[in-house]
Amino acid sequence: MSAAPLLEVSDLVKHFPLKGGGVIHALNGVSLAQTPGETIGIVGESGCGKSTLARVILRLLEPTGGRITFEGRDLIGLSKPAMREKRRAMQMIFQDPLASLDPRFTIGAAIEEPLIIHGLGTKTERRAKVLELLDMVGLGTEAVSRYPHEFSGGQRQRIGIARALAVEPKLVIADEPVSALDVSIQSQILNLLAELRERLALSLLFISHDLAVVRYISDRIAVMYLGQIVEFGEADRIYRDAAHPYTQALISAVPEPMPGRRQQRIVLKGDVPNPESPPPGCPFHPRCPKAMAICRTDLPIENNLGTDARPHLVRCHLF
Ligand code: SF4
């Protein structure tokens, strides 16, 4: 972790005020630093704040508090046009690429669009770039003149990846990019992302509710619960030696997480609490099988169970 961070998020807060009063506490002090070329997986159940985190980092949503720096530059202070320019280096891949593809435009036009928006290349250069991207994502250049409805889910996600990579970003934020796909197609798309990450030296922020998928692709994993990172460390260590009871429950739900070692499934009580009125103390305490009296009153602080060079951060009174 010696390289300067590409992306640094400090104490990020995002609250959504409700019309009739009350506030949704979507992010409650999230901090992480990502080095160039690193893949960080963000995992948690739906409603834990992971997609909000992605949108706040790109300032598609304005944060309520905290700091975001990218290549050492403070993003929160940037004007809207300066932020738009910065987004060239920070692209996003969505769960449903079709939603961002206009059915009236060919795939060639869809992939060329970000190049036009950012004023990159002549018409001939853009055309060559589109063909190169189609080839790179495994669609073949003949796809250029076809329309979105002619493609399967996996192929559409390849188009989404090509669109994101068109402007040569340094960071790609992928929000549930394989969740809508069949398992066999999921692994093809994950392999493609892993291969492109190496080839293009990309940093990847990979968001998913599925820990098995996140583990496959990530160098480090951050586990989120109710707007906070509750455990963060190297992917293998988190998977092999999870410390937080919530992470342990997520791992126990993955089928056959460790070949040859069956572990008992930890079934969590109830659902994620309403982020409008998060529980006092540790937000996980109403569902935690190891909750103690202190958990109902005091918010646990972050502890490092690893070393400074290889941190393993956990927020739990057990540590
Ligand atoms: Fe469970 Fe308490 Fe740890 Fe929260 S702080 S995860 S309630 S043991």
Side-chain angles (χ1 to χ4, degrees), residues 244-245 282 284-285 288 290-292 295 300 316-318:
H244 196 283
C282 170
F284 186 54
H285 85 253
C288 180
K290 297 182 181 168
M292 307 167 284
C295 307
C316 173
H317 288 304
L318 291 169

Side-chain angles (χ1 to χ4, degrees), residues 199-246:
R199 184 158 150 192
L200 306 171
L202 288 172
S203 297
L204 194 57
L205 202 59
F206 190 98
I207 294 170
S208 176
H209 67 283
D210 186 337
L211 190 58
V213 164
V214 164
R215 190 221 179 175
Y216 177 78
I217 197 149
S218 306
D219 300 309
R220 288 191 294 156
I221 294 177
V223 181
M224 282 190 75
Y225 190 79
L226 269 190
Q228 284 186 337
I229 294 178
V230 296
E231 185 157 10
F232 190 14
E234 291 172 4
D236 284 348
R237 177 150 183 189
I238 296 282
Y239 216 71
R240 193 187 58 235
D241 209 7
H244 196 283
Y246 179 57

Side-chain angles (χ1 to χ4, degrees), residues 33-114:
Q34 183 170 24
T35 50
E38 186 183 31
T39 297
I40 294 184
I42 312 266
V43 71
E45 290 163 289
S46 135
C48 71
K50 52 195 193 308
S51 293
T52 303
L53 176 63
R55 281 157 181 79
V56 172
I57 289 173
L58 292 171
R59 277 191 57 204
L60 300 171
L61 291 170
E62 291 300 332
T64 309
R67 208 174 136 81
I68 309 164
T69 55
F70 184 74
E71 297 181 302
R73 182 120 192 242
D74 174 18
L75 291 191
I76 296 182
L78 289 185
S79 65
K80 283 205 166 137
M83 187 61 216
R84 225 172 285 133
E85 175 54 34
K86 205 69 185 158
R87 267 192 219 116
R88 183 185 156 189
M90 309 168 76
Q91 290 289 304
M92 192 150 173
I93 299 171
F94 299 93
Q95 178 175 349
D96 177 12
L98 199 56
S100 59
L101 296 174
D102 189 323
R104 296 166 304 166
F105 289 115
T106 63
I107 295 314
I111 298 174
E112 189 183 0
E113 192 184 19

